[in-house]
Amino acid sequence: MLSNEHIAIVKSTVPLLEAGGEALTTHFYRIMLAEYPQVRPLFNQAHQASGDQPRALANGVLMYAKHIDRLQALGPLVGQIVQKHVSLQILPEHYPIVGSCLLRAIREVLGAEVATDAVIAAWAAAYGQLADLLIGAEEEVYAATARATGGWRGGRAFRVVGKVRESEEITSFHLQPADGGALLDFIPGQYIGLRLCLDGEEVRRNYSLSQAANGHEYRISVKREPGGRVSSHLHEQVREGDELELFAPAGDFTLSASRKPLVLISAGVGITPLLAMLEAALPSGRPIRFIHCARHAGVQAFAAHVDALAAAHPQLQRFYCLEQARAGDGADAHGRLSLELLQRWLPAERDVDAYFLGPKPFMAMLKRHLRELGVPEAQARYEFFGPAAALQD
């Protein structure tokens, strides 16, 4: 039970977390991944190496400590965590492992003089409250998904019925249930979880669904990352007829029902969830501006598909910005997407719903530009490919 004394102690540790939270969470991951191999598949080791995962956890722990007495102030953070956990199939038995490693890291990083028995007891109670909250919320999602038409719990085998090269870097995989059963619908913008066994080791990844729900197949479109273990396997080893194990769609970066003009802005493989949004929104007749940026035409995926949609739907206007010019590349501009280009391509009325996705520097720039151009901040929505983090301007 979290007491008032516990709350006061946890909040008193906020300055320590602000100063050294990343060191604490880095040590936490080092302990947990070394001593509990059963949880390693839940974490992308590339995010560990880059420091993104420890930074994201440090930010989450800090926000929780700051708002432990009024969790409603955390806003969408809890929902984002729940959706990410569900997509990777985090289960109740994982929480005690995390809790014990977190408390041990607090003690070892802060030292016994700072991390006294009272501090450890307070954080144990705080973590218990958070674990109960997340376990309950995640079970609600798991149960609702299993009850839904075409839904399931845990992993489900899907057959690769199509493999399509979309660009020099991106390949699409068309997936249908191997059992021939019904297929769960999803909200445009959501992603699936994928579980693989590579060289005897289990790995899990998330991939956005890159076409609107159609009742008979899912499509993911995967960029081959330099040195990417899973993306390289999918590009090189997976063939039509193979089976992949999927977790049900999840995610809260989703297209909201609205009659406002819709603006979809992407860079690189960030186009994938926005394609699903675009296809789902077109029947509504709402005005749509689709803006896509890529390094050059060779790595630009889905241009022909978007062009065909624009030709068939007058309310859709599309714009391409390619950094490097190539003859006949169909670009509307070359170089980086600038404030001036964005001003020209946005609707004159800035009361729009904007969704954007791409590398972090690209999104930080867009967040700033959209605000400067008068798009209401609450209507400019984005998501991170990897661990959630603050999008600094």
Side-chain angles (χ1 to χ4, degrees):
M1 175 69 75
L2 189 66
S3 68
N4 289 335
E5 182 182 1
H6 290 149
I7 290 172
I9 291 173
V10 168
K11 290 178 75 71
S12 74
T13 64
V14 165
L16 298 173
L17 296 174
E18 290 175 326
E22 192 173 331
L24 188 153
T25 54
T26 298
H27 187 58
F28 155 77
Y29 280 117
R30 189 179 300 119
I31 295 169
M32 184 173 67
L33 297 179
E35 299 183 11
Y36 296 92
Q38 64 267 41
V39 302
R40 288 178 195 159
L42 306 176
F43 300 94
N44 187 327
Q45 296 307 305
H47 296 151
Q48 293 292 323
S50 69
D52 286 348
Q53 191 81 56
R55 277 191 291 275
L57 179 59
N59 179 66
V61 171
L62 175 60
M63 293 300 292
Y64 179 58
K66 281 185 173 180
H67 303 295
I68 192 168
D69 52 346
R70 47 190 185 94
L71 295 183
Q72 66 275 13
L74 293 173
L77 179 61
V78 173
Q80 292 166 0
I81 292 171
V82 167
Q83 290 296 317
K84 183 64 73 173
H85 282 188
V86 166
S87 74
L88 293 170
Q89 295 291 291
I90 304 296
L91 300 174
E93 56 262 34
H94 296 131
Y95 281 89
I97 295 172
V98 172
S100 65
C101 293
L102 179 62
L103 296 178
R104 179 175 157 190
I106 291 173
R107 176 83 83 179
E108 293 178 357
V109 172
L110 299 184
E113 291 187 3
V114 175
T116 62
D117 289 347
V119 168
I120 296 300
W123 267 101
Y127 177 79
Q129 172 184 267
L130 179 60
D132 289 345
L133 171 67
L134 294 177
I135 289 170
E138 288 155 17
E139 174 54 29
E140 289 182 7
V141 177
Y142 288 135
T145 299
R147 288 194 303 267
T149 300
W152 72 96
R153 182 189 284 262
R156 185 180 183 186
F158 277 68
R159 184 168 292 110
V160 179
V161 297
K163 182 179 180 181
V164 180
R165 188 172 185 264
E166 308 288 2
S167 77
E168 294 173 8
E169 296 179 335
I170 296 174
T171 293
S172 289
F173 298 84
H174 296 254
L175 308 166
Q176 293 181 356
D179 59 16
L183 187 63
L184 179 71
D185 275 345
F186 62 91
I187 307 172
Q190 289 190 309
Y191 46 81
I192 54 89
L194 175 66
R195 176 159 56 190
L196 295 168
C197 185
L198 302 182
D199 301 321
E201 181 183 0
E202 181 185 337
V203 292
R204 304 186 190 190
R205 293 291 188 272
N206 296 137
Y207 291 106
S208 295
L209 291 154
S210 62
Q211 65 182 9
N214 57 31
H216 70 276
E217 72 170 22
Y218 293 154
R219 185 181 74 183
I220 59 173
S221 302
V222 180
K223 177 185 176 183
R224 181 171 181 168
E225 300 287 353
R229 185 181 183 192
V230 175
S231 64
S232 295
H233 173 81
L234 292 172
H235 277 243
E236 296 173 7
Q237 304 299 325
V238 174
R239 301 286 183 265
E240 290 185 12
D242 290 349
E243 290 188 2
L244 298 172
E245 185 180 12
L246 268 60
F247 304 136
D252 63 351
F253 176 66
T254 54
L255 182 66
S256 300
S258 173
R259 298 298 301 175
K260 298 180 187 295
L262 177 63
V263 178
L264 303 171
I265 311 173
S266 59
V269 76
I271 193 174
T272 51
L274 302 193
L275 283 172
M277 294 183 183
L278 172 62
E279 293 174 0
L282 281 171
S284 72
R286 66 193 292 195
I288 303 174
R289 303 289 176 97
F290 190 90
I291 301 169
H292 181 61
C293 305
R295 297 195 313 279
H296 54 74
V299 297
Q300 180 188 6
F302 303 106
H305 177 60
V306 174
D307 288 347
L309 291 176
H313 297 86
Q315 81 271 24
L316 169 61
Q317 296 183 55
R318 65 94 177 130
F319 303 94
Y320 302 142
C321 183
L322 304 180
E323 285 189 43
Q324 304 164 22
R326 291 188 177 183
D329 62 15
D332 299 281
H334 292 106
R336 298 287 182 92
L337 182 63
S338 64
L339 180 66
E340 292 71 28
L341 282 175
L342 199 56
Q343 184 173 25
R344 190 189 316 162
W345 292 343
L346 286 180
E349 170 55 55
R350 300 297 161 75
D351 184 20
V352 302
D353 289 323
Y355 297 79
F356 57 96
L357 193 57
K360 288 181 186 178
F362 174 83
M363 294 197 293
M365 175 271 293
L366 269 179
K367 183 181 179 184
R368 181 176 64 253
H369 285 351
L370 291 172
R371 184 173 60 238
E372 292 174 1
L373 293 173
V375 174
E377 196 155 0
Q379 293 165 215
R381 306 176 179 95
Y382 58 89
E383 146 175 280
F384 289 98
F385 283 122
L391 190 59
Q392 302 297 333
D393 289 342

